[in-house]
């Protein structure tokens, strides 16, 4: 029954849910990857993530919130109720069990996985794709996903031994961008490279030892073509097999004395270089030019 005070549908169970309430217990299990994989569900924490999740019809399964947070974000509670999503008040202890942050913001949503098959994502003819290969740190992965979204990438691929995109820290680091792009999970990075090339994308591998300079590619408009960027783990980078399979191995020039860039910074430089080139009035490389070294 709707509540006049909050304008939201509340669960029929009397009183706020506690850490022992079965639905809270089930949701808390989603902190573990095996439970996320088994159920096809994950947790989105905080009002920003909840707001973006609610823009995708059918994605949010349930919304948990402290009474004060549900009052503060009445628009989100009302939007959830309008979509027939259960809105459940929880105690401070239950919210702490559901959240992973030190100072949670009072809302946690249970969401369905939003994976898109690689072939379907590429069939939409994306012009900018970010491929995360072997990135194990969830904060780095989520930040690259957020950066890719900001640069206008349509697809982000989590390939091979890469962190689960639904890891709580990755979801939070994406700051809602997880819900804006096509998220693909692929077991074999090599197949991602082959499929991307078959879809008409130029595949560029980022490496500090690349034989192609990013500035040179940008200055000659060779980044204007549809592109898939390969990013590897901060500590070890991309495998030799992947860099060899790419159309070019690209290094970000270092004009100062820094030894290297962090992964997220390098990804931002590369993705925005492509974004600028693709939005240039003189879009498209010269027929005589190629990104191959």
């Amino acid at each position: 029954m709707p509540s006049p005070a909050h304008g939201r549908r509340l669960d029929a169970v009397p009183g706020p849910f506690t850490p022992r309430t079965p639905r809270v217990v089930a949701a808390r299990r989603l902190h573990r990857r095996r439970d996320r994989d088994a159920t096809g569900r994950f947790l989105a924490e905080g009002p920003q993530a909840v707001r973006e999740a609610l823009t995708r019809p059918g994605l949010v399964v349930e919304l948990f919130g402290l009474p004060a947070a549900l009052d503060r974000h009445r628009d989100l509670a009302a939007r959830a109720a309008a979509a027939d999503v259960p809105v459940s008040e929880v105690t401070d202890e239950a919210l702490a069990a559901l959240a992973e942050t030190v100072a949670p913001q009072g809302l946690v949503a249970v969401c369905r996985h939003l994976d898109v098959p690689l072939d379907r994502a590429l069939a939409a003819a994306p012009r900018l794709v970010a491929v995360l290969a072997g990135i194990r740190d969830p904060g780095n992965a989520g930040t690259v996903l957020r950066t890719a979204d900001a640069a206008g990438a349509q697809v982000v691929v989590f390939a091979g031994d890469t962190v689960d995109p639904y890891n709580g820290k990755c979801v939070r680091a994406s700051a809602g961008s997880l819900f804006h792009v096509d998220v693909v999970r692929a077991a074999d990075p090599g197949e991602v490279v082959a499929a991307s090339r078959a879809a008409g994308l130029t595949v560029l591998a980022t490496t500090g030892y690349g034989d192609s300079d990013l500035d040179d590619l940008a200055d000659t408009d060779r980044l204007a073509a549809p592109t898939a960027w390969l990013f590897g783990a901060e500590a070890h980078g991309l495998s030799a097999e992947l860099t060899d399979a790419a159309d070019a191995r690209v290094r970000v020039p270092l004009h100062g004395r820094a030894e290297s860039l962090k992964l997220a910074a390098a990804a931002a430089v590369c993705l925005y270089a492509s974004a600028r080139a693709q939005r240039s009035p003189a879009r498209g490389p010269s027929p005589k030019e190629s990104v191959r070294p």
Side-chain angles (χ1 to χ4, degrees), residues 29-291:
R29 292 195 184 106
L30 299 177
H31 291 315
R32 298 186 298 234
R33 180 167 187 169
R34 68 173 181 268
D35 288 286
R36 293 194 297 271
D37 288 343
T39 61
R41 296 182 178 186
F42 69 102
L43 298 179
E45 179 181 339
Q48 173 65 15
V50 171
R51 179 174 290 105
E52 299 308 318
L54 285 168
T55 65
R56 303 280 294 264
L59 185 66
V60 178
V61 176
E62 181 162 14
L63 176 61
F64 296 103
L66 296 175
L70 291 171
D71 280 340
R72 190 180 313 117
H73 301 286
R74 294 186 185 189
D75 60 323
L76 301 183
R79 195 182 306 175
D84 203 30
V85 173
V87 179
S88 304
E89 291 186 347
V90 296
T91 63
D92 289 341
E93 294 78 13
L95 195 282
L98 292 168
E100 293 182 305
T101 54
V102 175
Q105 299 179 61
L107 298 178
V108 177
V110 178
C111 303
R112 293 184 176 89
H113 284 186
L114 37 78
D115 296 354
V116 175
L118 179 63
D119 56 353
R120 194 174 90 196
L122 295 177
R127 292 194 58 82
L128 188 57
V129 175
V131 181
L132 285 58
I135 299 176
R136 303 300 302 277
D137 181 84
N140 275 341
T143 301
V144 174
L145 194 162
R146 179 181 184 180
T147 301
D149 175 30
Q154 298 84 27
V155 180
V156 177
V157 183
F158 287 69
D161 193 21
T162 293
V163 68
D164 174 17
Y166 305 114
N167 173 287
K169 188 174 181 180
C170 185
V171 175
R172 292 192 300 278
S174 80
S177 288
L178 176 71
F179 307 107
H180 299 165
V181 300
D182 282 348
V183 175
V184 175
R185 289 196 284 179
D188 186 351
E191 290 183 1
V192 174
V193 171
S196 297
R197 187 177 291 115
L201 294 160
T202 297
V203 180
L204 302 180
T206 54
T207 169
Y209 306 99
D211 38 24
S212 295
D213 184 283
L214 180 66
D215 282 351
D216 291 340
L217 296 181
D219 289 345
T220 54
D221 290 330
R222 286 178 286 178
L223 296 178
T227 300
W229 281 99
L230 304 180
F231 302 109
E234 191 154 296
H236 307 293
L238 295 166
S239 68
E241 292 78 11
L242 276 183
T243 55
D244 290 344
D247 293 308
R249 289 143 293 284
V250 183
R251 68 182 183 277
V252 176
L254 300 174
H255 303 299
R257 298 175 61 184
E259 179 185 5
S260 62
L261 287 174
K262 291 183 72 66
L263 167 63
V269 172
C270 294
L271 290 165
Y272 269 92
S274 283
R276 181 179 182 184
Q278 291 181 2
R279 285 161 176 75
S280 169
R283 192 162 104 180
S286 165
K288 295 182 179 180
E289 292 179 329
S290 168
V291 296

